[in-house]
Amino acid sequence: MGWHIDVWSRLAVMTKQDDYANFAFAQADWLIQLLITESPKKEWIGGFSRGGVEPTASSIVFLEALCCALALAEFVGDSHRVRRYAEAIRCTL
């Protein structure tokens, strides 16, 4: 997932094609659903997980993907997504 958002974001910037941007955004929006923002296990907050399992070190690749999506949202002027992705990134810190 992570590298897909990176690649489609880059293509969207290079070609200025809305379809590429929308595809990258759809993936980032789905990814945010996996972000752990609340948990009794504080060390899990900011990780990414499906089904309530412990996040792994590999979830850091999703943070990189959200940074790419944030840059794309800024590039296209989508202020709603800029706020949403920035907040998700802040949650991981």
Side-chain angles (χ1 to χ4, degrees):
M1 172 68 66
W3 67 269
H4 276 272
I5 295 172
D6 181 26
V7 170
W8 291 107
S9 294
R10 291 172 189 246
L11 282 170
V13 169
M14 290 180 350
T15 65
K16 297 181 180 50
Q17 293 289 319
D18 290 339
D19 290 346
Y20 295 151
N22 291 335
F23 189 56
F25 290 146
Q27 292 176 82
D29 293 343
W30 177 84
L31 182 59
I32 285 178
Q33 296 175 47
L34 304 179
L35 180 62
I36 301 169
T37 58
E38 296 179 10
S39 174
K41 298 181 179 184
K42 298 295 182 196
E43 66 273 14
W44 287 24
I45 296 174
F48 296 83
S49 176
R50 275 185 116 168
V53 299
E54 182 176 7
T56 65
S58 65
S59 70
I60 192 67
V61 79
F62 300 134
L63 174 59
E64 184 179 353
L66 288 180
C67 289
C68 291
L70 172 60
L72 179 59
E74 289 177 334
F75 178 79
V76 301
D78 187 332
S79 59
H80 171 73
R81 283 197 168 99
V82 166
R83 285 189 302 277
R84 186 168 186 221
Y85 298 156
E87 182 57 35
I89 291 165
R90 271 193 291 280
C91 178
T92 67
L93 303 175

Coordinates of all heavy atoms in Angstrom, one line a residue:
M1 N 0.8 -1.2 0.0 CA 0.0 0.0 0.0 C 0.9 1.3 0.0 O 0.6 2.2 -0.7 CB -0.9 0.0 1.2 CG -1.7 1.2 1.4 SD -2.9 1.6 0.2 CE -4.1 0.3 0.4
G2 N 1.9 1.3 0.8 CA 2.7 2.5 1.0 C 3.3 3.0 -0.3 O 3.2 4.1 -0.7
W3 N 3.9 2.0 -1.0 CA 4.6 2.5 -2.3 C 3.6 2.8 -3.3 O 3.9 3.6 -4.2 CB 5.6 1.4 -2.8 CG 5.0 0.1 -3.2 CD1 4.8 -1.0 -2.5 CD2 4.6 -0.2 -4.6 NE1 4.2 -2.0 -3.3 CE2 4.1 -1.5 -4.6 CE3 4.6 0.5 -5.8 CZ2 3.6 -2.1 -5.7 CZ3 4.1 -0.1 -6.9 CH2 3.6 -1.4 -6.9
H4 N 2.4 2.3 -3.3 CA 1.4 2.7 -4.3 C 1.0 4.1 -4.1 O 0.9 4.9 -5.1 CB 0.1 1.8 -4.0 CG 0.1 0.5 -4.7 ND1 -0.3 0.3 -6.0 CD2 0.5 -0.7 -4.3 CE1 -0.2 -0.9 -6.3 NE2 0.3 -1.6 -5.3
I5 N 0.8 4.6 -2.9 CA 0.4 6.0 -2.6 C 1.6 6.9 -3.1 O 1.4 7.9 -3.7 CB 0.1 6.2 -1.2 CG1 -1.2 5.4 -0.8 CG2 -0.1 7.7 -0.9 CD1 -1.5 5.4 0.7
D6 N 2.8 6.5 -2.8 CA 4.0 7.2 -3.3 C 4.0 7.4 -4.8 O 4.1 8.5 -5.3 CB 5.2 6.6 -2.8 CG 6.5 7.3 -3.2 OD1 6.5 8.5 -3.4 OD2 7.6 6.7 -3.2
V7 N 3.9 6.3 -5.5 CA 3.9 6.3 -6.9 C 2.8 7.1 -7.6 O 3.0 7.9 -8.4 CB 4.0 4.8 -7.5 CG1 3.8 4.8 -9.0 CG2 5.3 4.2 -7.1
W8 N 1.5 6.8 -7.1 CA 0.4 7.5 -7.7 C 0.4 9.0 -7.4 O 0.0 9.8 -8.2 CB -0.9 6.8 -7.3 CG -1.1 5.4 -7.9 CD1 -0.9 4.3 -7.2 CD2 -1.3 5.1 -9.3 NE1 -1.1 3.2 -8.1 CE2 -1.3 3.7 -9.4 CE3 -1.4 5.9 -10.4 CZ2 -1.5 3.1 -10.6 CZ3 -1.6 5.2 -11.6 CH2 -1.7 3.9 -11.7
S9 N 0.9 9.3 -6.2 CA 1.1 10.8 -5.9 C 2.1 11.4 -6.8 O 1.8 12.5 -7.3 CB 1.5 10.9 -4.4 OG 0.6 10.5 -3.5
R10 N 3.2 10.8 -7.1 CA 4.2 11.3 -8.0 C 3.6 11.5 -9.4 O 3.9 12.5 -10.0 CB 5.4 10.5 -8.0 CG 6.2 10.5 -6.7 CD 7.3 9.5 -6.7 NE 8.0 9.4 -5.4 CZ 9.2 9.8 -5.1 NH1 10.0 10.3 -6.1 NH2 9.7 9.6 -3.9
L11 N 2.9 10.5 -9.8 CA 2.3 10.5 -11.2 C 1.3 11.7 -11.3 O 1.2 12.4 -12.3 CB 1.6 9.2 -11.5 CG 2.6 8.1 -12.0 CD1 1.8 6.8 -12.0 CD2 3.2 8.4 -13.3
A12 N 0.5 11.9 -10.2 CA -0.5 12.9 -10.2 C 0.2 14.3 -10.3 O -0.3 15.2 -11.0 CB -1.3 12.8 -8.9
V13 N 1.3 14.5 -9.6 CA 2.0 15.7 -9.6 C 2.6 15.9 -11.0 O 2.6 17.0 -11.6 CB 3.1 15.8 -8.5 CG1 4.0 17.0 -8.7 CG2 2.4 15.9 -7.2
M14 N 3.3 14.9 -11.5 CA 4.0 15.0 -12.8 C 3.0 15.3 -14.0 O 3.3 16.1 -14.9 CB 4.8 13.8 -13.1 CG 6.0 13.7 -12.2 SD 7.1 12.2 -12.5 CE 6.2 11.2 -13.6
T15 N 1.9 14.6 -14.0 CA 0.9 14.7 -15.1 C -0.2 15.6 -14.9 O -1.0 15.9 -15.8 CB 0.4 13.3 -15.4 OG1 -0.4 12.8 -14.3 CG2 1.5 12.3 -15.7
K16 N -0.5 16.0 -13.6 CA -1.6 16.8 -13.2 C -2.9 16.1 -13.6 O -3.9 16.8 -13.9 CB -1.5 18.2 -13.8 CG -0.3 18.9 -13.3 CD -0.2 20.3 -13.8 CE 1.0 21.1 -13.3 NZ 2.3 20.4 -13.3
Q17 N -2.9 14.8 -13.5 CA -4.1 14.0 -13.8 C -4.9 13.7 -12.5 O -4.4 13.2 -11.5 CB -3.8 12.6 -14.4 CG -3.1 12.7 -15.7 CD -4.2 13.1 -16.8 OE1 -5.3 12.6 -16.8 NE2 -3.8 14.0 -17.7
D18 N -6.2 14.2 -12.5 CA -7.0 14.0 -11.3 C -7.2 12.5 -11.0 O -7.4 12.2 -9.8 CB -8.4 14.7 -11.5 CG -8.3 16.2 -11.5 OD1 -7.3 16.7 -11.0 OD2 -9.2 16.8 -12.1
D19 N -7.3 11.7 -12.0 CA -7.6 10.3 -11.7 C -6.4 9.7 -10.8 O -6.7 8.9 -9.9 CB -7.7 9.5 -13.0 CG -9.0 9.8 -13.7 OD1 -9.9 10.4 -13.1 OD2 -9.1 9.4 -14.9
Y20 N -5.2 10.1 -11.1 CA -4.1 9.6 -10.3 C -4.1 10.1 -8.9 O -3.9 9.3 -7.9 CB -2.7 10.0 -11.0 CG -2.5 9.4 -12.3 CD1 -1.7 10.0 -13.2 CD2 -3.0 8.1 -12.7 CE1 -1.4 9.5 -14.5 CE2 -2.7 7.6 -13.9 CZ -1.9 8.3 -14.8 OH -1.6 7.7 -16.0
A21 N -4.5 11.4 -8.7 CA -4.6 11.9 -7.4 C -5.7 11.3 -6.6 O -5.5 10.9 -5.5 CB -4.8 13.4 -7.5
N22 N -6.8 11.1 -7.3 CA -8.0 10.5 -6.6 C -7.7 9.0 -6.2 O -8.1 8.6 -5.1 CB -9.2 10.5 -7.5 CG -9.7 11.9 -7.7 OD1 -9.5 12.8 -6.9 ND2 -10.4 12.1 -8.8
F23 N -6.9 8.3 -7.0 CA -6.6 6.9 -6.6 C -5.6 6.9 -5.4 O -5.8 6.1 -4.5 CB -5.9 6.2 -7.8 CG -5.7 4.8 -7.6 CD1 -6.7 3.9 -7.3 CD2 -4.4 4.2 -7.7 CE1 -6.5 2.6 -7.0 CE2 -4.2 2.9 -7.5 CZ -5.3 2.0 -7.2
A24 N -4.7 7.8 -5.4 CA -3.8 7.9 -4.2 C -4.6 8.3 -3.0 O -4.3 7.8 -1.9 CB -2.7 9.0 -4.5
F25 N -5.5 9.3 -3.1 CA -6.3 9.7 -2.0 C -7.2 8.6 -1.5 O -7.4 8.4 -0.3 CB -7.2 10.9 -2.4 CG -6.4 12.2 -2.5 CD1 -6.8 13.1 -3.5 CD2 -5.3 12.5 -1.8 CE1 -6.1 14.3 -3.7 CE2 -4.6 13.6 -2.0 CZ -5.0 14.6 -2.9
A26 N -7.8 7.8 -2.4 CA -8.6 6.7 -2.0 C -7.8 5.7 -1.1 O -8.3 5.2 -0.1 CB -9.2 6.0 -3.2
Q27 N -6.6 5.4 -1.5 CA -5.8 4.5 -0.7 C -5.4 5.1 0.6 O -5.4 4.4 1.6 CB -4.5 4.2 -1.5 CG -4.8 3.3 -2.8 CD -3.6 3.1 -3.6 OE1 -2.8 2.2 -3.2 NE2 -3.3 3.9 -4.6
A28 N -5.0 6.4 0.6 CA -4.7 7.0 1.9 C -5.9 7.1 2.8 O -5.8 6.9 4.0 CB -4.1 8.4 1.6
D29 N -7.1 7.4 2.3 CA -8.3 7.4 3.1 C -8.6 6.1 3.7 O -9.0 6.0 4.9 CB -9.5 7.9 2.3 CG -9.3 9.4 1.9 OD1 -8.5 10.1 2.4 OD2 -10.0 9.8 0.9
W30 N -8.4 5.0 3.0 CA -8.6 3.7 3.5 C -7.5 3.4 4.6 O -7.8 2.8 5.6 CB -8.4 2.6 2.4 CG -8.6 1.2 2.8 CD1 -9.7 0.5 3.1 CD2 -7.5 0.3 3.2 NE1 -9.4 -0.7 3.5 CE2 -8.1 -0.9 3.6 CE3 -6.1 0.5 3.1 CZ2 -7.3 -2.0 4.0 CZ3 -5.3 -0.6 3.5 CH2 -5.9 -1.8 4.0
L31 N -6.3 3.8 4.3 CA -5.2 3.5 5.3 C -5.4 4.2 6.6 O -5.2 3.6 7.7 CB -3.9 4.0 4.7 CG -2.6 3.8 5.5 CD1 -2.4 2.3 5.7 CD2 -1.4 4.4 4.7
I32 N -6.0 5.4 6.6 CA -6.3 6.1 7.9 C -7.2 5.3 8.7 O -7.1 5.4 10.0 CB -6.8 7.5 7.6 CG1 -5.6 8.4 7.1 CG2 -7.5 8.1 8.8 CD1 -6.0 9.8 6.7
Q33 N -8.1 4.5 8.1 CA -9.0 3.7 8.9 C -8.2 2.6 9.8 O -8.8 2.2 10.8 CB -9.9 2.9 8.0 CG -10.9 3.8 7.3 CD -11.7 3.0 6.3 OE1 -12.3 2.0 6.6 NE2 -11.8 3.5 5.1
L34 N -7.0 2.3 9.4 CA -6.2 1.3 10.2 C -5.3 2.0 11.3 O -4.7 1.3 12.0 CB -5.3 0.6 9.2 CG -5.9 -0.2 8.0 CD1 -4.9 -0.8 7.2 CD2 -7.0 -1.1 8.5
L35 N -5.3 3.3 11.3 CA -4.5 4.0 12.3 C -5.1 3.9 13.7 O -6.3 4.1 13.9 CB -4.4 5.5 11.9 CG -3.6 6.4 12.8 CD1 -2.1 6.0 12.8 CD2 -3.7 7.8 12.3
I36 N -4.3 3.5 14.6 CA -4.7 3.4 16.0 C -4.6 4.7 16.7 O -3.5 5.2 16.8 CB -3.9 2.3 16.7 CG1 -4.0 1.0 16.0 CG2 -4.3 2.2 18.2 CD1 -3.0 -0.1 16.6
T37 N -5.7 5.3 17.0 CA -5.7 6.6 17.7 C -6.0 6.5 19.1 O -5.7 7.5 19.9 CB -6.7 7.6 17.0 OG1 -8.0 7.0 17.0 CG2 -6.3 7.9 15.5
E38 N -6.6 5.4 19.5 CA -7.0 5.2 20.9 C -6.7 3.7 21.3 O -7.1 2.9 20.4 CB -8.4 5.5 21.2 CG -8.8 7.0 21.0 CD -10.3 7.2 21.3 OE1 -11.0 6.3 21.8 OE2 -10.7 8.3 21.0
S39 N -6.1 3.5 22.4 CA -5.9 2.1 22.8 C -5.5 2.1 24.3 O -4.8 3.1 24.7 CB -4.8 1.5 22.0 OG -4.4 0.2 22.5
P40 N -5.9 1.1 25.0 CA -5.4 1.0 26.4 C -3.9 0.8 26.5 O -3.3 1.1 27.4 CB -6.2 -0.2 27.0 CG -7.0 -0.7 25.9 CD -6.9 0.1 24.7
K41 N -3.4 0.3 25.4 CA -1.9 0.1 25.3 C -1.3 1.3 24.6 O -1.4 1.4 23.3 CB -1.6 -1.2 24.5 CG -2.1 -2.4 25.3 CD -1.7 -3.7 24.5 CE -2.3 -4.9 25.3 NZ -1.9 -6.1 24.7
K42 N -0.9 2.3 25.3 CA -0.4 3.6 24.8 C 0.6 3.4 23.7 O 0.7 4.2 22.8 CB 0.1 4.5 25.9 CG -0.9 4.8 27.0 CD -2.0 5.7 26.4 CE -3.1 6.0 27.4 NZ -4.3 6.5 26.9
E43 N 1.5 2.4 23.8 CA 2.5 2.2 22.8 C 2.0 1.8 21.4 O 2.7 1.9 20.4 CB 3.6 1.2 23.3 CG 3.0 -0.3 23.4 CD 2.4 -0.6 24.8 OE1 2.1 0.4 25.6 OE2 2.2 -1.8 25.0
W44 N 0.7 1.4 21.4 CA 0.1 1.1 20.1 C -0.4 2.3 19.4 O -0.5 2.3 18.1 CB -1.1 0.2 20.3 CG -0.7 -1.3 20.7 CD1 0.4 -1.7 21.3 CD2 -1.5 -2.4 20.5 NE1 0.4 -3.0 21.5 CE2 -0.8 -3.5 21.0 CE3 -2.8 -2.6 20.0 CZ2 -1.3 -4.8 21.0 CZ3 -3.3 -3.9 19.9 CH2 -2.6 -5.0 20.4
I45 N -0.6 3.4 20.1 CA -1.2 4.6 19.4 C -0.2 5.1 18.4 O 1.0 5.3 18.7 CB -1.5 5.7 20.5 CG1 -2.7 5.1 21.4 CG2 -1.9 7.0 19.8 CD1 -3.0 6.0 22.6
G46 N -0.7 5.4 17.2 CA 0.1 5.9 16.1 C 0.6 4.8 15.2 O 1.1 5.0 14.1
G47 N 0.3 3.5 15.6 CA 0.6 2.4 14.7 C -0.6 2.1 13.8 O -1.6 2.7 13.9
F48 N -0.4 1.1 13.0 CA -1.5 0.7 12.0 C -1.7 -0.7 12.3 O -0.8 -1.5 12.4 CB -1.0 1.0 10.6 CG -0.8 2.4 10.3 CD1 0.4 3.0 10.6 CD2 -1.8 3.2 9.6 CE1 0.6 4.4 10.3 CE2 -1.6 4.5 9.3 CZ -0.4 5.1 9.7
S49 N -3.0 -1.1 12.3 CA -3.4 -2.5 12.6 C -4.7 -2.8 12.0 O -5.6 -1.9 11.9 CB -3.4 -2.7 14.1 OG -3.9 -4.0 14.4
R50 N -4.9 -4.0 11.7 CA -6.2 -4.6 11.3 C -6.6 -5.6 12.3 O -5.9 -6.4 12.7 CB -6.1 -5.3 9.9 CG -6.2 -4.5 8.7 CD -6.2 -5.3 7.5 NE -7.5 -5.1 6.8 CZ -7.7 -5.6 5.6 NH1 -6.8 -6.2 5.0 NH2 -8.8 -5.4 5.1
G51 N -7.8 -5.5 12.8 CA -8.4 -6.4 13.7 C -7.8 -6.4 15.1 O -7.9 -7.4 15.8
G52 N -7.3 -5.3 15.5 CA -6.9 -5.1 16.9 C -5.6 -5.9 17.3 O -5.3 -6.0 18.4
V53 N -4.8 -6.3 16.3 CA -3.5 -6.9 16.6 C -2.4 -5.9 16.8 O -2.6 -4.7 16.3 CB -3.1 -7.9 15.5 CG1 -4.1 -9.0 15.4 CG2 -2.9 -7.2 14.2
E54 N -1.4 -6.3 17.5 CA -0.3 -5.3 17.7 C 0.3 -4.8 16.5 O 0.6 -5.6 15.6 CB 0.8 -6.0 18.6 CG 1.9 -5.2 19.0 CD 2.9 -5.9 19.9 OE1 2.8 -7.1 20.1 OE2 3.8 -5.2 20.4
P55 N 0.6 -3.5 16.3 CA 1.2 -3.0 15.2 C 2.7 -3.5 15.1 O 3.3 -3.8 16.2 CB 1.2 -1.5 15.3 CG 0.6 -1.2 16.6 CD 0.2 -2.5 17.3
T56 N 3.2 -3.6 14.0 CA 4.6 -4.0 13.8 C 5.5 -2.9 13.3 O 5.0 -1.8 12.9 CB 4.7 -5.2 12.8 OG1 4.3 -4.7 11.5 CG2 3.8 -6.3 13.2
A57 N 6.8 -3.1 13.3 CA 7.7 -2.1 12.8 C 7.5 -1.8 11.4 O 7.7 -0.6 11.0 CB 9.2 -2.6 13.0
S58 N 6.9 -2.7 10.6 CA 6.7 -2.4 9.2 C 5.6 -1.4 9.0 O 5.4 -0.9 7.9 CB 6.3 -3.7 8.5 OG 5.1 -4.2 9.0
S59 N 4.8 -1.1 10.0 CA 3.8 -0.1 9.9 C 4.3 1.3 9.6 O 3.6 2.2 9.2 CB 2.8 -0.1 11.1 OG 3.4 0.5 12.2
I60 N 5.6 1.5 9.8 CA 6.2 2.8 9.6 C 6.1 3.2 8.1 O 6.0 4.4 7.7 CB 7.7 2.9 10.0 CG1 8.2 4.3 10.0 CG2 8.6 2.0 9.2 CD1 7.5 5.2 11.0
V61 N 6.0 2.2 7.2 CA 5.9 2.5 5.8 C 4.6 3.2 5.5 O 4.5 4.0 4.6 CB 6.1 1.2 4.9 CG1 4.8 0.4 5.0 CG2 6.5 1.5 3.5
F62 N 3.6 3.0 6.3 CA 2.3 3.7 6.1 C 2.4 5.1 6.5 O 1.7 6.0 5.9 CB 1.2 3.0 7.0 CG 1.0 1.6 6.6 CD1 0.9 0.6 7.6 CD2 0.9 1.2 5.3 CE1 0.7 -0.8 7.2 CE2 0.7 -0.2 4.9 CZ 0.6 -1.1 5.9
L63 N 3.3 5.5 7.5 CA 3.5 6.9 7.8 C 4.1 7.6 6.6 O 3.7 8.7 6.2 CB 4.4 7.0 9.0 CG 4.9 8.4 9.4 CD1 3.7 9.3 9.7 CD2 5.8 8.3 10.6
E64 N 5.1 7.0 5.9 CA 5.7 7.6 4.7 C 4.6 7.8 3.7 O 4.6 8.8 3.0 CB 6.8 6.6 4.2 CG 7.5 7.2 3.0 CD 8.6 6.3 2.6 OE1 8.9 5.2 3.2 OE2 9.2 6.6 1.5
A65 N 3.7 6.8 3.5 CA 2.6 7.0 2.5 C 1.7 8.1 2.8 O 1.3 8.9 1.9 CB 1.8 5.7 2.5
L66 N 1.4 8.3 4.1 CA 0.5 9.4 4.5 C 1.2 10.8 4.2 O 0.6 11.8 3.9 CB 0.1 9.3 5.9 CG -0.9 8.2 6.2 CD1 -1.3 8.2 7.7 CD2 -2.2 8.4 5.4
C67 N 2.6 10.8 4.4 CA 3.3 12.0 4.1 C 3.2 12.3 2.6 O 3.1 13.5 2.2 CB 4.8 11.9 4.6 SG 5.0 11.9 6.4
C68 N 3.3 11.3 1.8 CA 3.1 11.5 0.3 C 1.7 12.0 0.0 O 1.6 13.0 -0.8 CB 3.4 10.2 -0.4 SG 5.1 9.7 -0.4
A69 N 0.7 11.5 0.7 CA -0.6 11.9 0.4 C -0.8 13.3 0.9 O -1.5 14.1 0.2 CB -1.6 11.0 1.1
L70 N -0.2 13.7 2.0 CA -0.3 15.1 2.5 C 0.3 16.0 1.5 O -0.3 17.1 1.2 CB 0.4 15.2 3.9 CG 0.6 16.6 4.4 CD1 -0.8 17.3 4.6 CD2 1.4 16.6 5.7
A71 N 1.5 15.7 1.0 CA 2.1 16.6 0.0 C 1.2 16.7 -1.3 O 1.1 17.8 -1.8 CB 3.5 16.0 -0.4
L72 N 0.6 15.6 -1.7 CA -0.3 15.7 -2.8 C -1.5 16.6 -2.5 O -1.9 17.4 -3.4 CB -0.7 14.3 -3.3 CG -1.7 14.2 -4.4 CD1 -1.1 14.8 -5.7 CD2 -2.1 12.8 -4.7
A73 N -2.1 16.4 -1.4 CA -3.2 17.2 -1.0 C -2.9 18.7 -1.0 O -3.7 19.5 -1.4 CB -3.8 16.8 0.4
E74 N -1.7 19.0 -0.5 CA -1.2 20.4 -0.5 C -1.1 20.9 -2.0 O -1.5 22.0 -2.3 CB 0.1 20.6 0.2 CG -0.1 20.5 1.7 CD 1.2 20.5 2.5 OE1 2.2 20.2 2.0 OE2 1.1 20.9 3.7
F75 N -0.5 20.0 -2.8 CA -0.3 20.4 -4.2 C -1.6 20.7 -5.0 O -1.6 21.6 -5.7 CB 0.5 19.2 -4.9 CG 0.7 19.5 -6.4 CD1 1.8 20.3 -6.8 CD2 -0.1 18.8 -7.3 CE1 2.0 20.5 -8.1 CE2 0.2 19.1 -8.7 CZ 1.2 19.9 -9.1
V76 N -2.6 19.9 -4.7 CA -3.9 20.1 -5.4 C -4.8 21.1 -4.7 O -5.9 21.4 -5.2 CB -4.6 18.8 -5.7 CG1 -3.8 17.8 -6.5 CG2 -5.1 18.1 -4.4
G77 N -4.4 21.5 -3.5 CA -5.2 22.5 -2.8 C -6.4 21.9 -2.1 O -7.4 22.6 -1.9
D78 N -6.3 20.6 -1.7 CA -7.5 20.0 -0.9 C -7.3 20.2 0.6 O -6.7 19.4 1.2 CB -7.5 18.5 -1.3 CG -8.7 17.8 -0.8 OD1 -9.2 18.2 0.3 OD2 -9.1 16.8 -1.4
S79 N -7.8 21.3 1.1 CA -7.6 21.7 2.5 C -8.2 20.7 3.5 O -7.6 20.5 4.5 CB -8.1 23.1 2.7 OG -9.5 23.1 2.5
H80 N -9.3 20.0 3.1 CA -9.8 19.0 4.0 C -8.9 17.9 4.2 O -8.6 17.4 5.3 CB -11.2 18.5 3.4 CG -11.7 17.3 4.2 ND1 -12.3 17.4 5.4 CD2 -11.8 16.0 3.8 CE1 -12.6 16.2 5.8 NE2 -12.4 15.4 4.9
R81 N -8.3 17.4 3.1 CA -7.4 16.3 3.2 C -6.1 16.7 3.8 O -5.4 15.9 4.6 CB -7.1 15.6 1.8 CG -8.3 14.7 1.4 CD -7.8 13.8 0.3 NE -8.8 12.8 0.1 CZ -9.8 12.8 -0.9 NH1 -9.9 13.8 -1.7 NH2 -10.6 11.8 -1.0
V82 N -5.6 17.9 3.6 CA -4.4 18.4 4.2 C -4.6 18.3 5.8 O -3.7 17.8 6.5 CB -4.1 19.9 3.8 CG1 -3.0 20.5 4.7 CG2 -3.6 19.9 2.4
R83 N -5.7 18.8 6.3 CA -6.0 18.7 7.7 C -6.1 17.3 8.2 O -5.5 16.9 9.2 CB -7.3 19.5 8.1 CG -7.1 21.0 8.0 CD -8.3 21.7 8.6 NE -9.6 21.4 7.9 CZ -10.0 22.0 6.8 NH1 -9.3 22.9 6.3 NH2 -11.1 21.6 6.2
R84 N -6.8 16.5 7.5 CA -7.0 15.1 7.9 C -5.7 14.3 7.9 O -5.4 13.6 8.8 CB -8.0 14.4 6.9 CG -8.3 13.0 7.3 CD -9.5 12.5 6.5 NE -9.9 11.3 7.0 CZ -10.3 10.2 6.3 NH1 -10.3 10.4 5.0 NH2 -10.7 9.1 6.8
Y85 N -4.9 14.4 6.8 CA -3.6 13.7 6.8 C -2.6 14.2 7.8 O -1.9 13.5 8.4 CB -3.0 13.7 5.4 CG -3.9 13.1 4.3 CD1 -3.8 13.4 3.0 CD2 -4.9 12.1 4.6 CE1 -4.6 12.8 2.0 CE2 -5.7 11.5 3.7 CZ -5.5 11.9 2.4 OH -6.3 11.3 1.4
A86 N -2.6 15.6 8.0 CA -1.7 16.1 8.9 C -2.0 15.7 10.3 O -1.1 15.3 11.1 CB -1.7 17.7 8.9
E87 N -3.3 15.6 10.7 CA -3.7 15.1 12.0 C -3.3 13.6 12.2 O -2.8 13.2 13.2 CB -5.2 15.3 12.2 CG -5.7 14.8 13.5 CD -4.9 15.5 14.7 OE1 -4.6 16.7 14.6 OE2 -4.7 14.8 15.7
A88 N -3.5 12.8 11.1 CA -3.1 11.4 11.2 C -1.6 11.3 11.4 O -1.2 10.5 12.2 CB -3.5 10.7 9.9
I89 N -0.8 12.1 10.7 CA 0.6 12.0 10.9 C 1.0 12.5 12.3 O 1.9 11.8 12.9 CB 1.3 12.9 9.8 CG1 1.1 12.3 8.4 CG2 2.8 13.1 10.1 CD1 1.4 13.2 7.3
R90 N 0.4 13.5 12.8 CA 0.7 14.0 14.2 C 0.4 12.9 15.2 O 1.1 12.7 16.2 CB -0.1 15.2 14.5 CG 0.6 16.5 14.2 CD -0.1 17.7 14.8 NE -1.5 17.9 14.2 CZ -1.7 18.6 13.1 NH1 -0.6 19.0 12.4 NH2 -2.9 18.8 12.6
C91 N -0.6 12.1 14.9 CA -1.0 11.0 15.8 C 0.1 9.9 15.9 O 0.2 9.3 17.0 CB -2.3 10.3 15.3 SG -2.8 8.9 16.4
T92 N 0.9 9.8 14.9 CA 1.9 8.8 14.9 C 3.2 9.2 15.6 O 4.1 8.4 15.9 CB 2.3 8.4 13.5 OG1 3.0 9.5 12.8 CG2 1.1 7.9 12.7
L93 N 3.3 10.5 16.0 CA 4.5 11.0 16.6 C 4.5 10.8 18.1 O 3.6 10.7 18.8 CB 4.6 12.5 16.3 CG 4.7 12.8 14.8 CD1 4.7 14.3 14.7 CD2 5.9 12.2 14.2

